[in-house]
Amino acid sequence: MPATRRSAGRPIYVEARISAPMDLVWNLTQTPHEHQRWDARFTRIRYAAAAPEHSTETGPPPVVRFRYLLGWPGGPALRGTGVTTAERQRSDGSRTSALRFRSDNAFSPLQEGAGYWRYTPADPPTGEGVLFVTGYDYRSWQWPGGARLDRWFVRPFVGWLTAWSFDRLRLWAERGITPERSLLHAGAETSVRLGVVLAAAFLAAGRTGVAAGVLVGGAALLLCASVPPSSLTPAARRCARRPNRKRPGRNNASENNPAGTAPGRSARPPRLLTTLEKP
């Protein structure tokens, strides 16, 4: 994964199969106002100018500058700048976008990085399915211990948050469940699960002691965590976190993979990213 400097961890990869028209998925991800609604990694995204349409047959794709924010506009927030570009019409029916970003805050765990989105038709005859993939890498803190903290805590959380956001997008595109509504579902379900854990722990503690309450509470927590989430609630577990190396090539399409995506192709950074300037 091209980046400004070498990172200390594995690049983040997430893929989601979305049963929705390509144009719908494109609009929900490429329009800043819609993007910031489902992507929990951002609170606000502002383009310096509208992103013009682009075809691979009309010359180099245009580059658009943007600013992003995570937090509250009037309070503590992580801010940064970036550049992005996209190819909407490719000869194989896929679409691609790429970006590079740099944080304005020294305390941001994502100091600078680069990534891409790849949209591959999952069902070419109907056009009603998209394999939506992202891959990105970044440089984190340079102070002693920063790389270790990123590797063991920040990077796994950012990967999980990306997958959770992708499933939130899927619910919106497939079922019309808005990001705001799915967030309420997630909050309600989490509250119910925690309520069950606390109730079990307090009942056990009241009858047989604190030690029993801790044990029962731990068992209830494991049980609740193992229960599949509601179909209305976003879940990171529904997204793949590793590329499917066994996926057949485009010339070997199958029932399970009508698009015939080449093995590992989705995990390779597009050429579009290698030519993108730094912000």
Side-chain angles (χ1 to χ4, degrees):
M1 174 69 61
T4 305
R5 298 181 186 176
R6 184 177 179 82
S7 69
R10 181 193 296 270
I12 292 172
Y13 176 90
V14 176
E15 69 176 46
R17 287 188 174 273
I18 303 176
S19 299
M22 175 77 78
D23 284 340
L24 175 60
V25 177
W26 180 267
N27 290 333
L28 293 181
T29 55
Q30 294 293 326
T31 304
H33 175 69
E34 308 293 10
H35 177 193
Q36 68 189 21
R37 292 177 62 188
W38 61 264
D39 198 335
R41 297 170 297 174
F42 303 97
T43 303
R44 188 175 65 189
I45 304 170
R46 293 289 183 269
Y47 280 11
E53 297 296 332
H54 173 257
S55 168
T56 55
E57 300 176 356
T58 60
V63 175
V64 179
R65 297 187 176 277
F66 66 91
R67 294 195 61 83
Y68 64 88
L69 176 146
L70 176 60
W72 294 270
L78 302 179
R79 295 177 173 84
T81 58
V83 292
T84 183
T85 187
E87 291 179 342
R88 180 166 181 168
Q89 299 177 10
R90 297 173 59 87
S91 59
D92 60 358
S94 66
R95 305 182 187 185
T96 305
S97 66
L99 68 83
R100 290 185 181 274
F101 64 89
R102 182 181 66 234
S103 175
D104 295 340
N105 307 97
F107 55 86
S108 172
L110 278 66
Q111 284 293 292
E112 60 179 341
Y116 64 90
W117 281 346
R118 179 174 278 120
Y119 310 71
T120 303
D123 189 6
T126 63
E128 291 298 315
V130 180
L131 180 66
F132 182 47
V133 170
T134 188
Y136 63 98
D137 201 1
Y138 62 87
R139 177 180 64 82
S140 190
W141 300 297
Q142 298 299 294
W143 42 265
R148 182 171 299 178
L149 185 62
D150 173 68
R151 180 188 295 270
W152 294 107
F153 296 100
V154 176
R155 193 171 290 261
F157 175 73
V158 172
W160 175 88
L161 191 62
T162 303
W164 186 87
S165 297
F166 268 40
D167 199 51
R168 193 182 185 192
L169 168 67
R170 181 191 63 81
L171 289 173
W172 193 13
E174 289 184 357
R175 307 182 60 173
I177 301 174
T178 64
E180 295 79 12
R181 182 181 165 196
S182 64
L183 182 61
L184 290 176
H185 291 163
E189 184 168 327
T190 300
S191 297
V192 170
R193 291 172 186 254
L194 290 178
V196 170
V197 172
L198 292 175
F202 278 117
L203 286 174
R207 291 184 177 183
T208 57
V210 176
V214 172
L215 290 175
V216 171
L221 181 61
L222 292 175
L223 179 62
C224 287
S226 66
V227 175
S230 164
S231 61
L232 303 179
T233 302
R237 67 179 72 182
R238 297 193 184 108
C239 298
R241 305 286 293 278
R242 295 286 186 271
N244 186 355
R245 301 295 181 180
K246 296 182 179 180
R247 185 179 291 128
R250 182 164 295 277
N251 294 328
N252 296 305
S254 65
E255 180 180 356
N256 295 328
N257 181 42
T261 307
R265 175 180 178 271
S266 60
R268 292 199 298 268
R271 185 166 47 190
L272 190 66
L273 179 58
T274 63
T275 61
L276 187 61
E277 65 187 72
K278 297 179 182 180

